[in-house]
């Protein structure tokens, strides 16, 4: 059964498709206002949560504690600096086989996965040595 989406959810999906990058709810709020598509911040959070539960949007917690949202297009993997929050995308996926095995052995439909390693980027590592 297809889920009926609200107009706000459709507008958020459209905005995420257009921007093609991860955004915090606050950043999304500002983007919507900038394009005369204003909606309340609470509505944005509710819509993002509903879209996440539908498997269309995923949330990633940055090292800074901020949550960012993006469309589920493919699995994502990162190296994230705990000092400045900078993230480097990793193209290869070491867990695709594990995902397929878990999906089958637990009869669980997996929408996406994230894999993130935390540490220090070169710049922050060099600054901490100074």
């Amino acid at each position: 059964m297809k889920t009926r989406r609200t107009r706000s959810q459709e507008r958020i999906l459209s905005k995420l498709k257009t921007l093609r990058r991860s955004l915090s709810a606050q950043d999304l709020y500002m983007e919507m206002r900038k394009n005369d598509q204003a909606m309340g911040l609470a509505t944005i959070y509710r819509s993002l949560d509903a879209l996440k539960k539908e498997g269309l949007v995923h949330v990633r917690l940055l090292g800074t504690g901020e949550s960012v949202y993006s469309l589920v297009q493919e699995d994502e993997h990162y190296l994230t600096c705990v000092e400045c929050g900078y993230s480097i995308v990793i193209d290869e996926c070491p867990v695709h086989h594990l995902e397929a095995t878990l999906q089958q052995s637990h009869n669980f439909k997996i929408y996406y996965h994230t894999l993130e390693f935390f540490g220090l980027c070169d710049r922050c590592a060099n600054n901490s040595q100074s």
Side-chain angles (χ1 to χ4, degrees):
M1 182 171 89
K2 186 175 177 171
T3 304
R4 247 183 93 128
R5 289 188 207 102
T6 66
R7 188 172 48 180
S8 297
Q9 290 168 358
E10 291 293 346
R11 287 169 49 199
I12 287 172
L13 277 175
S14 177
K15 180 59 68 181
L16 289 172
K17 284 177 188 172
T18 302
L19 295 174
R20 299 178 50 130
R21 61 184 167 92
S22 296
L23 292 160
S24 69
Q26 287 279 358
D27 290 339
L28 190 53
Y29 172 77
M30 297 305 289
E31 284 289 332
M32 301 300 273
R33 285 179 55 103
K34 187 168 51 174
N35 294 310
D36 293 327
Q37 295 181 323
M39 66 178 73
L41 188 56
T43 300
I44 289 176
Y45 276 109
R46 278 193 306 274
S47 296
L48 287 168
D49 188 54
L51 293 168
K52 179 183 73 169
K53 289 176 182 172
E54 197 177 335
L56 297 173
V57 169
H58 68 97
V59 60
R60 187 167 74 88
L61 189 63
L62 299 178
T64 60
E66 182 176 38
S67 294
V68 291
Y69 301 84
S70 60
L71 290 179
V72 173
Q73 295 173 341
E74 56 188 47
D75 300 324
E76 296 183 354
H77 312 92
Y78 302 93
L79 299 173
T80 299
C81 181
V82 295
E83 186 71 29
C84 69
Y86 177 68
S87 290
I88 301 167
V89 176
I90 304 169
D91 292 326
E92 57 272 356
C93 177
V95 295
H96 273 304
H97 178 72
L98 175 61
E99 180 180 307
T101 301
L102 290 172
Q103 195 161 244
Q104 185 174 13
S105 67
H106 294 283
N107 195 25
F108 187 87
K109 175 65 178 150
I110 297 173
Y111 291 136
Y112 64 88
H113 71 262
T114 59
L115 177 62
E116 195 158 10
F117 297 93
F118 295 92
L120 289 175
C121 66
D122 283 346
R123 188 181 64 207
C124 292
N126 289 336
N127 288 342
S128 69
Q129 292 175 354
S130 300

